[in-house]
PDB file of all heavy atoms in Angstrom:
ATOM      1  N   GLU A   1       0.814  -1.230   0.009  1.00 98.00           N
ATOM      2  CA  GLU A   1      -0.052  -0.023   0.000  1.00 98.00           C
ATOM      3  C   GLU A   1       0.827   1.302  -0.026  1.00 98.00           C
ATOM      4  O   GLU A   1       0.370   2.366  -0.163  1.00 98.00           O
ATOM      5  CB  GLU A   1      -0.919  -0.002   1.235  1.00 98.00           C
ATOM      6  CG  GLU A   1      -1.852  -1.149   1.314  1.00 98.00           C
ATOM      7  CD  GLU A   1      -2.562  -1.335   2.588  1.00 98.00           C
ATOM      8  OE1 GLU A   1      -1.846  -1.293   3.630  1.00 98.00           O
ATOM      9  OE2 GLU A   1      -3.756  -1.407   2.610  1.00 98.00           O
ATOM     10  N   GLY A   2       2.194   1.089   0.206  1.00 98.00           N
ATOM     11  CA  GLY A   2       3.095   2.206   0.187  1.00 98.00           C
ATOM     12  C   GLY A   2       4.487   1.661   0.033  1.00 98.00           C
ATOM     13  O   GLY A   2       4.766   0.492   0.304  1.00 98.00           O
ATOM     14  N   VAL A   3       5.416   2.532  -0.391  1.00 98.00           N
ATOM     15  CA  VAL A   3       6.733   2.146  -0.762  1.00 98.00           C
ATOM     16  C   VAL A   3       7.794   3.048  -0.117  1.00 98.00           C
ATOM     17  O   VAL A   3       7.631   4.304  -0.093  1.00 98.00           O
ATOM     18  CB  VAL A   3       7.049   2.119  -2.281  1.00 98.00           C
ATOM     19  CG1 VAL A   3       8.419   1.523  -2.561  1.00 98.00           C
ATOM     20  CG2 VAL A   3       5.895   1.356  -2.994  1.00 98.00           C
ATOM     21  N   ILE A   4       8.837   2.529   0.480  1.00 98.00           N
ATOM     22  CA  ILE A   4       9.963   3.346   0.973  1.00 98.00           C
ATOM     23  C   ILE A   4      11.230   2.911   0.238  1.00 98.00           C
ATOM     24  O   ILE A   4      11.528   1.736   0.186  1.00 98.00           O
ATOM     25  CB  ILE A   4      10.166   3.109   2.507  1.00 98.00           C
ATOM     26  CG1 ILE A   4       8.914   3.568   3.256  1.00 98.00           C
ATOM     27  CG2 ILE A   4      11.365   3.983   2.945  1.00 98.00           C
ATOM     28  CD1 ILE A   4       9.030   3.238   4.756  1.00 98.00           C
ATOM     29  N   GLU A   5      11.819   3.863  -0.464  1.00 98.00           N
ATOM     30  CA  GLU A   5      13.000   3.666  -1.261  1.00 98.00           C
ATOM     31  C   GLU A   5      14.217   4.211  -0.537  1.00 98.00           C
ATOM     32  O   GLU A   5      14.403   5.404  -0.337  1.00 98.00           O
ATOM     33  CB  GLU A   5      12.851   4.225  -2.605  1.00 98.00           C
ATOM     34  CG  GLU A   5      13.681   3.701  -3.705  1.00 98.00           C
ATOM     35  CD  GLU A   5      15.078   4.345  -3.930  1.00 98.00           C
ATOM     36  OE1 GLU A   5      15.425   5.231  -3.039  1.00 98.00           O
ATOM     37  OE2 GLU A   5      15.731   4.064  -4.872  1.00 98.00           O
ATOM     38  N   PHE A   6      15.211   3.351  -0.231  1.00 96.00           N
ATOM     39  CA  PHE A   6      16.505   3.771   0.379  1.00 96.00           C
ATOM     40  C   PHE A   6      17.596   2.966  -0.354  1.00 96.00           C
ATOM     41  O   PHE A   6      17.920   1.870   0.093  1.00 96.00           O
ATOM     42  CB  PHE A   6      16.551   3.444   1.899  1.00 96.00           C
ATOM     43  CG  PHE A   6      16.359   4.708   2.758  1.00 96.00           C
ATOM     44  CD1 PHE A   6      15.192   5.017   3.305  1.00 96.00           C
ATOM     45  CD2 PHE A   6      17.500   5.523   3.067  1.00 96.00           C
ATOM     46  CE1 PHE A   6      15.005   6.089   4.146  1.00 96.00           C
ATOM     47  CE2 PHE A   6      17.336   6.650   3.859  1.00 96.00           C
ATOM     48  CZ  PHE A   6      16.104   6.950   4.386  1.00 96.00           C
ATOM     49  N   THR A   7      18.085   3.528  -1.426  1.00 96.00           N
ATOM     50  CA  THR A   7      19.053   2.744  -2.241  1.00 96.00           C
ATOM     51  C   THR A   7      20.389   3.478  -2.398  1.00 96.00           C
ATOM     52  O   THR A   7      21.161   3.629  -1.465  1.00 96.00           O
ATOM     53  CB  THR A   7      18.444   2.288  -3.599  1.00 96.00           C
ATOM     54  OG1 THR A   7      18.055   3.504  -4.315  1.00 96.00           O
ATOM     55  CG2 THR A   7      17.221   1.340  -3.393  1.00 96.00           C
ATOM     56  N   HIS A   8      20.586   3.979  -3.552  1.00 92.00           N
ATOM     57  CA  HIS A   8      21.858   4.634  -3.900  1.00 92.00           C
ATOM     58  C   HIS A   8      21.615   5.725  -4.985  1.00 92.00           C
ATOM     59  O   HIS A   8      20.686   5.552  -5.782  1.00 92.00           O
ATOM     60  CB  HIS A   8      22.799   3.529  -4.517  1.00 92.00           C
ATOM     61  CG  HIS A   8      24.269   3.984  -4.671  1.00 92.00           C
ATOM     62  ND1 HIS A   8      24.665   4.697  -5.777  1.00 92.00           N
ATOM     63  CD2 HIS A   8      25.327   3.904  -3.883  1.00 92.00           C
ATOM     64  CE1 HIS A   8      25.971   4.967  -5.676  1.00 92.00           C
ATOM     65  NE2 HIS A   8      26.336   4.463  -4.483  1.00 92.00           N
ATOM     66  N   PRO A   9      22.398   6.788  -4.936  1.00 92.00           N
ATOM     67  CA  PRO A   9      22.177   7.874  -5.914  1.00 92.00           C
ATOM     68  C   PRO A   9      22.218   7.453  -7.368  1.00 92.00           C
ATOM     69  O   PRO A   9      21.558   8.089  -8.189  1.00 92.00           O
ATOM     70  CB  PRO A   9      23.323   8.865  -5.593  1.00 92.00           C
ATOM     71  CG  PRO A   9      23.622   8.595  -4.147  1.00 92.00           C
ATOM     72  CD  PRO A   9      23.391   7.153  -3.913  1.00 92.00           C
ATOM     73  N   THR A  10      22.927   6.335  -7.654  1.00 93.00           N
ATOM     74  CA  THR A  10      23.065   5.953  -9.051  1.00 93.00           C
ATOM     75  C   THR A  10      21.811   5.201  -9.538  1.00 93.00           C
ATOM     76  O   THR A  10      21.618   5.060 -10.691  1.00 93.00           O
ATOM     77  CB  THR A  10      24.282   5.057  -9.247  1.00 93.00           C
ATOM     78  OG1 THR A  10      24.141   3.888  -8.353  1.00 93.00           O
ATOM     79  CG2 THR A  10      25.584   5.731  -8.935  1.00 93.00           C
ATOM     80  N   SER A  11      20.963   4.680  -8.646  1.00 96.00           N
ATOM     81  CA  SER A  11      19.792   3.938  -9.017  1.00 96.00           C
ATOM     82  C   SER A  11      18.445   4.582  -8.634  1.00 96.00           C
ATOM     83  O   SER A  11      17.440   4.161  -9.135  1.00 96.00           O
ATOM     84  CB  SER A  11      19.820   2.525  -8.395  1.00 96.00           C
ATOM     85  OG  SER A  11      19.997   2.626  -6.945  1.00 96.00           O
ATOM     86  N   VAL A  12      18.497   5.679  -7.843  1.00 97.00           N
ATOM     87  CA  VAL A  12      17.211   6.191  -7.359  1.00 97.00           C
ATOM     88  C   VAL A  12      16.380   6.782  -8.439  1.00 97.00           C
ATOM     89  O   VAL A  12      15.115   6.575  -8.402  1.00 97.00           O
ATOM     90  CB  VAL A  12      17.575   7.298  -6.290  1.00 97.00           C
ATOM     91  CG1 VAL A  12      18.340   8.493  -6.820  1.00 97.00           C
ATOM     92  CG2 VAL A  12      16.246   7.845  -5.624  1.00 97.00           C
ATOM     93  N   ILE A  13      16.857   7.465  -9.419  1.00 98.00           N
ATOM     94  CA  ILE A  13      16.051   8.090 -10.406  1.00 98.00           C
ATOM     95  C   ILE A  13      15.280   7.027 -11.199  1.00 98.00           C
ATOM     96  O   ILE A  13      14.076   7.131 -11.522  1.00 98.00           O
ATOM     97  CB  ILE A  13      16.824   8.988 -11.390  1.00 98.00           C
ATOM     98  CG1 ILE A  13      17.507  10.114 -10.584  1.00 98.00           C
ATOM     99  CG2 ILE A  13      15.938   9.543 -12.506  1.00 98.00           C
ATOM    100  CD1 ILE A  13      16.462  11.005  -9.878  1.00 98.00           C
ATOM    101  N   ALA A  14      15.992   5.983 -11.628  1.00 98.00           N
ATOM    102  CA  ALA A  14      15.366   4.931 -12.400  1.00 98.00           C
ATOM    103  C   ALA A  14      14.286   4.167 -11.536  1.00 98.00           C
ATOM    104  O   ALA A  14      13.201   3.898 -12.067  1.00 98.00           O
ATOM    105  CB  ALA A  14      16.396   3.864 -12.880  1.00 98.00           C
ATOM    106  N   ASN A  15      14.580   4.019 -10.313  1.00 98.00           N
ATOM    107  CA  ASN A  15      13.648   3.340  -9.352  1.00 98.00           C
ATOM    108  C   ASN A  15      12.341   4.177  -9.233  1.00 98.00           C
ATOM    109  O   ASN A  15      11.218   3.725  -9.365  1.00 98.00           O
ATOM    110  CB  ASN A  15      14.199   3.113  -7.971  1.00 98.00           C
ATOM    111  CG  ASN A  15      15.220   1.987  -7.943  1.00 98.00           C
ATOM    112  OD1 ASN A  15      15.183   1.106  -8.821  1.00 98.00           O
ATOM    113  ND2 ASN A  15      16.020   1.967  -6.978  1.00 98.00           N
ATOM    114  N   VAL A  16      12.586   5.513  -9.016  1.00 98.00           N
ATOM    115  CA  VAL A  16      11.423   6.410  -8.845  1.00 98.00           C
ATOM    116  C   VAL A  16      10.579   6.440 -10.067  1.00 98.00           C
ATOM    117  O   VAL A  16       9.265   6.353 -10.004  1.00 98.00           O
ATOM    118  CB  VAL A  16      11.907   7.852  -8.412  1.00 98.00           C
ATOM    119  CG1 VAL A  16      10.704   8.849  -8.476  1.00 98.00           C
ATOM    120  CG2 VAL A  16      12.529   7.830  -7.035  1.00 98.00           C
ATOM    121  N   LYS A  17      11.173   6.535 -11.256  1.00 98.00           N
ATOM    122  CA  LYS A  17      10.465   6.556 -12.470  1.00 98.00           C
ATOM    123  C   LYS A  17       9.642   5.298 -12.801  1.00 98.00           C
ATOM    124  O   LYS A  17       8.556   5.283 -13.367  1.00 98.00           O
ATOM    125  CB  LYS A  17      11.331   6.930 -13.656  1.00 98.00           C
ATOM    126  CG  LYS A  17      11.781   8.400 -13.707  1.00 98.00           C
ATOM    127  CD  LYS A  17      12.590   8.733 -14.891  1.00 98.00           C
ATOM    128  CE  LYS A  17      12.872  10.212 -15.003  1.00 98.00           C
ATOM    129  NZ  LYS A  17      13.607  10.608 -16.257  1.00 98.00           N
ATOM    130  N   ALA A  18      10.231   4.188 -12.329  1.00 98.00           N
ATOM    131  CA  ALA A  18       9.509   2.893 -12.511  1.00 98.00           C
ATOM    132  C   ALA A  18       8.392   2.714 -11.479  1.00 98.00           C
ATOM    133  O   ALA A  18       7.391   2.113 -11.842  1.00 98.00           O
ATOM    134  CB  ALA A  18      10.566   1.744 -12.356  1.00 98.00           C
ATOM    135  N   LEU A  19       8.557   3.262 -10.296  1.00 98.00           N
ATOM    136  CA  LEU A  19       7.548   3.113  -9.234  1.00 98.00           C
ATOM    137  C   LEU A  19       6.387   4.080  -9.304  1.00 98.00           C
ATOM    138  O   LEU A  19       5.307   3.726  -8.931  1.00 98.00           O
ATOM    139  CB  LEU A  19       8.259   3.252  -7.877  1.00 98.00           C
ATOM    140  CG  LEU A  19       9.221   2.096  -7.496  1.00 98.00           C
ATOM    141  CD1 LEU A  19      10.061   2.533  -6.290  1.00 98.00           C
ATOM    142  CD2 LEU A  19       8.481   0.795  -7.210  1.00 98.00           C
ATOM    143  N   LEU A  20       6.631   5.276  -9.773  1.00 98.00           N
ATOM    144  CA  LEU A  20       5.603   6.311  -9.762  1.00 98.00           C
ATOM    145  C   LEU A  20       4.300   5.870 -10.512  1.00 98.00           C
ATOM    146  O   LEU A  20       3.199   6.167 -10.020  1.00 98.00           O
ATOM    147  CB  LEU A  20       6.113   7.661 -10.339  1.00 98.00           C
ATOM    148  CG  LEU A  20       6.825   8.518  -9.303  1.00 98.00           C
ATOM    149  CD1 LEU A  20       7.470   9.732 -10.030  1.00 98.00           C
ATOM    150  CD2 LEU A  20       5.882   8.999  -8.238  1.00 98.00           C
ATOM    151  N   PRO A  21       4.401   5.223 -11.664  1.00 98.00           N
ATOM    152  CA  PRO A  21       3.141   4.833 -12.340  1.00 98.00           C
ATOM    153  C   PRO A  21       2.278   3.868 -11.573  1.00 98.00           C
ATOM    154  O   PRO A  21       1.128   3.640 -11.894  1.00 98.00           O
ATOM    155  CB  PRO A  21       3.681   4.187 -13.639  1.00 98.00           C
ATOM    156  CG  PRO A  21       5.052   4.815 -13.879  1.00 98.00           C
ATOM    157  CD  PRO A  21       5.550   4.996 -12.512  1.00 98.00           C
ATOM    158  N   LEU A  22       2.864   3.208 -10.542  1.00 98.00           N
ATOM    159  CA  LEU A  22       2.046   2.256  -9.756  1.00 98.00           C
ATOM    160  C   LEU A  22       0.939   2.989  -8.957  1.00 98.00           C
ATOM    161  O   LEU A  22      -0.042   2.375  -8.512  1.00 98.00           O
ATOM    162  CB  LEU A  22       2.935   1.509  -8.779  1.00 98.00           C
ATOM    163  CG  LEU A  22       3.966   0.587  -9.416  1.00 98.00           C
ATOM    164  CD1 LEU A  22       4.797  -0.172  -8.326  1.00 98.00           C
ATOM    165  CD2 LEU A  22       3.393  -0.379 -10.401  1.00 98.00           C
ATOM    166  N   GLY A  23       1.195   4.329  -8.730  1.00 97.00           N
ATOM    167  CA  GLY A  23       0.160   5.087  -8.018  1.00 97.00           C
ATOM    168  C   GLY A  23       0.218   4.915  -6.503  1.00 97.00           C
ATOM    169  O   GLY A  23      -0.693   5.428  -5.830  1.00 97.00           O
ATOM    170  N   LEU A  24       1.194   4.304  -5.993  1.00 98.00           N
ATOM    171  CA  LEU A  24       1.304   4.085  -4.558  1.00 98.00           C
ATOM    172  C   LEU A  24       2.033   5.277  -3.880  1.00 98.00           C
ATOM    173  O   LEU A  24       2.949   5.818  -4.535  1.00 98.00           O
ATOM    174  CB  LEU A  24       2.061   2.792  -4.218  1.00 98.00           C
ATOM    175  CG  LEU A  24       1.473   1.563  -4.708  1.00 98.00           C
ATOM    176  CD1 LEU A  24       2.463   0.356  -4.514  1.00 98.00           C
ATOM    177  CD2 LEU A  24       0.135   1.224  -4.104  1.00 98.00           C
ATOM    178  N   PRO A  25       1.748   5.612  -2.706  1.00 98.00           N
ATOM    179  CA  PRO A  25       2.541   6.666  -1.974  1.00 98.00           C
ATOM    180  C   PRO A  25       3.995   6.220  -1.844  1.00 98.00           C
ATOM    181  O   PRO A  25       4.194   5.101  -1.319  1.00 98.00           O
ATOM    182  CB  PRO A  25       1.810   6.782  -0.601  1.00 98.00           C
ATOM    183  CG  PRO A  25       0.964   5.632  -0.415  1.00 98.00           C
ATOM    184  CD  PRO A  25       0.583   5.090  -1.765  1.00 98.00           C
ATOM    185  N   LEU A  26       4.922   6.975  -2.320  1.00 98.00           N
ATOM    186  CA  LEU A  26       6.307   6.628  -2.398  1.00 98.00           C
ATOM    187  C   LEU A  26       7.202   7.614  -1.608  1.00 98.00           C
ATOM    188  O   LEU A  26       7.047   8.759  -1.830  1.00 98.00           O
ATOM    189  CB  LEU A  26       6.735   6.607  -3.889  1.00 98.00           C
ATOM    190  CG  LEU A  26       8.295   6.540  -4.159  1.00 98.00           C
ATOM    191  CD1 LEU A  26       8.778   5.223  -3.653  1.00 98.00           C
ATOM    192  CD2 LEU A  26       8.529   6.657  -5.671  1.00 98.00           C
ATOM    193  N   VAL A  27       7.931   7.109  -0.636  1.00 98.00           N
ATOM    194  CA  VAL A  27       8.799   7.936   0.157  1.00 98.00           C
ATOM    195  C   VAL A  27      10.217   7.562  -0.198  1.00 98.00           C
ATOM    196  O   VAL A  27      10.609   6.341  -0.172  1.00 98.00           O
ATOM    197  CB  VAL A  27       8.583   7.665   1.682  1.00 98.00           C
ATOM    198  CG1 VAL A  27       9.681   8.290   2.505  1.00 98.00           C
ATOM    199  CG2 VAL A  27       7.231   8.320   2.071  1.00 98.00           C
ATOM    200  N   VAL A  28      11.033   8.554  -0.611  1.00 98.00           N
ATOM    201  CA  VAL A  28      12.384   8.315  -1.048  1.00 98.00           C
ATOM    202  C   VAL A  28      13.395   8.920  -0.053  1.00 98.00           C
ATOM    203  O   VAL A  28      13.427  10.109   0.186  1.00 98.00           O
ATOM    204  CB  VAL A  28      12.633   8.897  -2.492  1.00 98.00           C
ATOM    205  CG1 VAL A  28      14.080   8.681  -2.892  1.00 98.00           C
ATOM    206  CG2 VAL A  28      11.661   8.312  -3.447  1.00 98.00           C
ATOM    207  N   GLY A  29      14.186   8.028   0.533  1.00 93.00           N
ATOM    208  CA  GLY A  29      15.181   8.516   1.491  1.00 93.00           C
ATOM    209  C   GLY A  29      16.562   8.630   0.929  1.00 93.00           C
ATOM    210  O   GLY A  29      17.449   9.253   1.566  1.00 93.00           O
ATOM    211  N   THR A  30      16.792   8.106  -0.304  1.00 93.00           N
ATOM    212  CA  THR A  30      18.081   8.240  -0.941  1.00 93.00           C
ATOM    213  C   THR A  30      18.276   9.729  -1.253  1.00 93.00           C
ATOM    214  O   THR A  30      17.418  10.409  -1.698  1.00 93.00           O
ATOM    215  CB  THR A  30      18.028   7.433  -2.279  1.00 93.00           C
ATOM    216  OG1 THR A  30      17.589   6.152  -2.064  1.00 93.00           O
ATOM    217  CG2 THR A  30      19.423   7.449  -2.907  1.00 93.00           C
ATOM    218  N   THR A  31      19.485  10.164  -0.957  1.00 86.00           N
ATOM    219  CA  THR A  31      19.855  11.556  -1.219  1.00 86.00           C
ATOM    220  C   THR A  31      20.841  11.617  -2.439  1.00 86.00           C
ATOM    221  O   THR A  31      21.124  10.608  -3.013  1.00 86.00           O
ATOM    222  CB  THR A  31      20.495  12.209  -0.015  1.00 86.00           C
ATOM    223  OG1 THR A  31      21.709  11.459   0.392  1.00 86.00           O
ATOM    224  CG2 THR A  31      19.524  12.280   1.124  1.00 86.00           C
ATOM    225  N   GLY A  32      21.240  12.814  -2.839  1.00 85.00           N
ATOM    226  CA  GLY A  32      22.153  12.959  -3.938  1.00 85.00           C
ATOM    227  C   GLY A  32      21.490  13.206  -5.255  1.00 85.00           C
ATOM    228  O   GLY A  32      22.200  13.071  -6.282  1.00 85.00           O
ATOM    229  N   TRP A  33      20.222  13.557  -5.214  1.00 92.00           N
ATOM    230  CA  TRP A  33      19.509  13.796  -6.585  1.00 92.00           C
ATOM    231  C   TRP A  33      18.702  15.099  -6.516  1.00 92.00           C
ATOM    232  O   TRP A  33      17.717  15.222  -7.227  1.00 92.00           O
ATOM    233  CB  TRP A  33      18.632  12.586  -6.881  1.00 92.00           C
ATOM    234  CG  TRP A  33      17.560  12.253  -5.920  1.00 92.00           C
ATOM    235  CD1 TRP A  33      17.764  11.620  -4.681  1.00 92.00           C
ATOM    236  CD2 TRP A  33      16.116  12.501  -6.057  1.00 92.00           C
ATOM    237  NE1 TRP A  33      16.473  11.459  -4.091  1.00 92.00           N
ATOM    238  CE2 TRP A  33      15.531  11.993  -4.909  1.00 92.00           C
ATOM    239  CE3 TRP A  33      15.401  13.045  -6.974  1.00 92.00           C
ATOM    240  CZ2 TRP A  33      14.113  12.076  -4.663  1.00 92.00           C
ATOM    241  CZ3 TRP A  33      13.987  13.136  -6.787  1.00 92.00           C
ATOM    242  CH2 TRP A  33      13.356  12.669  -5.646  1.00 92.00           C
ATOM    243  N   ASN A  34      19.145  16.103  -5.778  1.00 89.00           N
ATOM    244  CA  ASN A  34      18.436  17.371  -5.637  1.00 89.00           C
ATOM    245  C   ASN A  34      18.304  18.042  -7.054  1.00 89.00           C
ATOM    246  O   ASN A  34      17.322  18.704  -7.364  1.00 89.00           O
ATOM    247  CB  ASN A  34      19.232  18.322  -4.761  1.00 89.00           C
ATOM    248  CG  ASN A  34      19.013  17.950  -3.297  1.00 89.00           C
ATOM    249  OD1 ASN A  34      18.482  16.957  -3.001  1.00 89.00           O
ATOM    250  ND2 ASN A  34      19.492  18.890  -2.404  1.00 89.00           N
ATOM    251  N   ASP A  35      19.300  17.790  -7.936  1.00 92.00           N
ATOM    252  CA  ASP A  35      19.254  18.442  -9.316  1.00 92.00           C
ATOM    253  C   ASP A  35      18.211  17.790 -10.159  1.00 92.00           C
ATOM    254  O   ASP A  35      17.972  18.315 -11.276  1.00 92.00           O
ATOM    255  CB  ASP A  35      20.613  18.323  -9.931  1.00 92.00           C
ATOM    256  CG  ASP A  35      21.185  16.907 -10.085  1.00 92.00           C
ATOM    257  OD1 ASP A  35      20.781  16.062  -9.252  1.00 92.00           O
ATOM    258  OD2 ASP A  35      21.854  16.661 -11.042  1.00 92.00           O
ATOM    259  N   LYS A  36      17.592  16.681  -9.659  1.00 96.00           N
ATOM    260  CA  LYS A  36      16.560  16.003 -10.520  1.00 96.00           C
ATOM    261  C   LYS A  36      15.174  16.208  -9.974  1.00 96.00           C
ATOM    262  O   LYS A  36      14.238  15.605 -10.531  1.00 96.00           O
ATOM    263  CB  LYS A  36      16.886  14.544 -10.549  1.00 96.00           C
ATOM    264  CG  LYS A  36      18.222  14.156 -11.192  1.00 96.00           C
ATOM    265  CD  LYS A  36      18.262  14.392 -12.647  1.00 96.00           C
ATOM    266  CE  LYS A  36      19.597  13.887 -13.287  1.00 96.00           C
ATOM    267  NZ  LYS A  36      19.603  14.230 -14.733  1.00 96.00           N
ATOM    268  N   HIS A  37      15.017  17.019  -8.959  1.00 96.00           N
ATOM    269  CA  HIS A  37      13.685  17.272  -8.364  1.00 96.00           C
ATOM    270  C   HIS A  37      12.659  17.774  -9.314  1.00 96.00           C
ATOM    271  O   HIS A  37      11.545  17.249  -9.379  1.00 96.00           O
ATOM    272  CB  HIS A  37      13.813  18.125  -7.099  1.00 96.00           C
ATOM    273  CG  HIS A  37      14.300  17.394  -5.888  1.00 96.00           C
ATOM    274  ND1 HIS A  37      14.306  17.941  -4.615  1.00 96.00           N
ATOM    275  CD2 HIS A  37      14.895  16.184  -5.716  1.00 96.00           C
ATOM    276  CE1 HIS A  37      14.834  17.180  -3.738  1.00 96.00           C
ATOM    277  NE2 HIS A  37      15.215  16.073  -4.398  1.00 96.00           N
ATOM    278  N   GLU A  38      13.061  18.721 -10.087  1.00 97.00           N
ATOM    279  CA  GLU A  38      12.101  19.295 -11.058  1.00 97.00           C
ATOM    280  C   GLU A  38      11.664  18.288 -12.111  1.00 97.00           C
ATOM    281  O   GLU A  38      10.517  18.115 -12.476  1.00 97.00           O
ATOM    282  CB  GLU A  38      12.705  20.533 -11.765  1.00 97.00           C
ATOM    283  CG  GLU A  38      12.813  21.786 -10.833  1.00 97.00           C
ATOM    284  CD  GLU A  38      13.319  22.983 -11.524  1.00 97.00           C
ATOM    285  OE1 GLU A  38      13.340  22.950 -12.778  1.00 97.00           O
ATOM    286  OE2 GLU A  38      13.585  24.003 -10.883  1.00 97.00           O
ATOM    287  N   GLU A  39      12.619  17.479 -12.556  1.00 97.00           N
ATOM    288  CA  GLU A  39      12.320  16.441 -13.544  1.00 97.00           C
ATOM    289  C   GLU A  39      11.362  15.424 -12.987  1.00 97.00           C
ATOM    290  O   GLU A  39      10.356  14.983 -13.609  1.00 97.00           O
ATOM    291  CB  GLU A  39      13.653  15.818 -13.994  1.00 97.00           C
ATOM    292  CG  GLU A  39      13.516  14.552 -14.911  1.00 97.00           C
ATOM    293  CD  GLU A  39      14.826  13.890 -15.165  1.00 97.00           C
ATOM    294  OE1 GLU A  39      15.893  14.583 -15.076  1.00 97.00           O
ATOM    295  OE2 GLU A  39      14.770  12.724 -15.543  1.00 97.00           O
ATOM    296  N   ILE A  40      11.580  14.991 -11.697  1.00 98.00           N
ATOM    297  CA  ILE A  40      10.712  13.979 -11.108  1.00 98.00           C
ATOM    298  C   ILE A  40       9.374  14.595 -10.798  1.00 98.00           C
ATOM    299  O   ILE A  40       8.323  13.939 -10.939  1.00 98.00           O
ATOM    300  CB  ILE A  40      11.376  13.470  -9.794  1.00 98.00           C
ATOM    301  CG1 ILE A  40      12.648  12.669 -10.167  1.00 98.00           C
ATOM    302  CG2 ILE A  40      10.408  12.612  -9.028  1.00 98.00           C
ATOM    303  CD1 ILE A  40      12.318  11.427 -11.085  1.00 98.00           C
ATOM    304  N   ALA A  41       9.307  15.846 -10.395  1.00 98.00           N
ATOM    305  CA  ALA A  41       8.014  16.515 -10.168  1.00 98.00           C
ATOM    306  C   ALA A  41       7.198  16.505 -11.488  1.00 98.00           C
ATOM    307  O   ALA A  41       5.969  16.230 -11.412  1.00 98.00           O
ATOM    308  CB  ALA A  41       8.250  17.926  -9.639  1.00 98.00           C
TER     309      ALA A  41
END
């Protein structure tokens, strides 16, 4: 019913893009991707 992602800066963007279409509340604790926030939004 919800997802928590704590992986690695090299994999977080791909994971988030794959998980978002599932429509589940997604919490991402991985850091190091501030420059991608607008893209993910």
Side-chain angles (χ1 to χ4, degrees):
E1 299 168 310
V3 187
I4 300 175
E5 201 270 9
F6 255 99
T7 59
H8 191 275
T10 58
S11 57
V12 62
I13 299 302
N15 285 340
V16 170
K17 286 187 173 181
L19 291 166
L20 276 172
L22 300 180
L24 299 173
L26 169 62
V27 167
V28 178
T30 308
T31 57
W33 59 285
N34 285 10
D35 60 329
K36 300 292 185 181
H37 281 190
E38 289 187 9
E39 177 184 335
I40 293 301

